[in-house]
Amino acid sequence: MQNFSVQAAKIVGTPSQKTWSQVHTFFPEDSLKKEKRGILLAVLSFAGIGEGIEALSVGREILLRLHEEYYGQTEVPVLEQLRKAVGRVCQEFAQEEQKLEICAGVLLGDVLYLAISGGGQVWLKRQDALGRVLEGNGEVVDGSGLLEEGDVLVLGTSSFFGALG
């Protein structure tokens, strides 16, 4: 099992009263969480927040719940727990007028685990090849695969990839 170093570059939109987006990385210091759950990478966006509710406070709550759901159980396999965490958080926060997208990845050793709810995507650049490895379709989709040294990943929401063209 190889341990990779992780470098993250973050691009987010400006939050408003009704929208919020965040790029989140979490490197656990707790040895059990580090060994069993790995490094969490997530891109989230939330839109359609009702009057009087601040997007930033809702965003913080979403991140807190994602951590609780993912890191709270260490006996379930990583991919299964990531899928459940993304699904539960999206179900909890998304309602008819509200849209929550989560594109999450976990790096554990040399394996990348992915789960997407909404229209997010994950792209991988390996040497001279670039390709989409997972695309959300509204429901929670997941996947996993081995990483190699020098791989570059791009996790993004549907808005991010829509802006790229």
Side-chain angles (χ1 to χ4, degrees), residues 30 41 55 66 82 129 136 141:
D30 177 278
L41 313 166
L66 184 61
L82 182 62
V141 295

Side-chain angles (χ1 to χ4, degrees), residues 6 8 26 38 52 62 73 75 79 97 101 103 108 119 121 125 128 135 142 157:
V6 176
F26 183 71
I62 291 168
Q73 172 61 261
E75 299 308 315
L79 187 59
E97 311 83 37
E101 282 189 11
C103 182
L108 184 60
Q121 299 178 36
K125 181 180 183 299
D128 293 331
E135 181 174 14
D142 62 30
T157 63

Side-chain angles (χ1 to χ4, degrees), residues 46-50 90-100:
F46 191 63
I49 299 167
C90 283
Q91 187 175 28
E92 184 177 327
F93 286 92
Q95 300 176 14
E96 282 186 33
E97 311 83 37
Q98 299 172 341
K99 179 182 172 188
L100 173 60

Side-chain angles (χ1 to χ4, degrees), residues 16 21-22 29-30 34-35 38 49 53 65 71 73 80 84 91 114 134 137 144 146 153 157 164:
S16 70
S21 61
Q22 182 71 42
E29 292 183 15
D30 177 278
K34 191 177 203 174
E35 177 187 327
I49 299 167
I53 300 174
R65 289 292 298 129
Y71 286 103
Q73 172 61 261
E80 182 181 338
K84 285 180 183 179
Q91 187 175 28
L114 300 166
L134 192 63
N137 61 10
S144 64
L146 294 174
L153 291 166
T157 63
L164 288 181

Side-chain angles (χ1 to χ4, degrees), residues 33 35-39 70-71 73-74 76-78 81 106:
K33 287 180 182 178
E35 177 187 327
K36 297 277 188 172
R37 288 289 173 242
I39 298 166
Y70 179 67
Y71 286 103
Q73 172 61 261
T74 58
V76 176
V78 172
Q81 188 65 21
V106 169

Side-chain angles (χ1 to χ4, degrees), residues 1-64:
M1 180 188 315
Q2 185 170 354
N3 286 315
F4 293 100
S5 65
V6 176
Q7 296 176 343
K10 302 176 182 186
I11 301 172
V12 295
T14 304
S16 70
Q17 283 289 91
K18 296 187 176 197
T19 62
W20 168 85
S21 61
Q22 182 71 42
V23 176
H24 179 70
T25 54
F26 183 71
F27 298 83
E29 292 183 15
D30 177 278
S31 60
L32 181 64
K33 287 180 182 178
K34 191 177 203 174
E35 177 187 327
K36 297 277 188 172
R37 288 289 173 242
I39 298 166
L40 177 64
L41 313 166
V43 178
L44 308 95
S45 69
F46 191 63
I49 299 167
E51 290 296 320
I53 300 174
E54 293 227 6
L56 187 58
S57 64
V58 173
R60 286 183 183 138
E61 183 65 23
I62 291 168
L63 285 174
L64 179 65

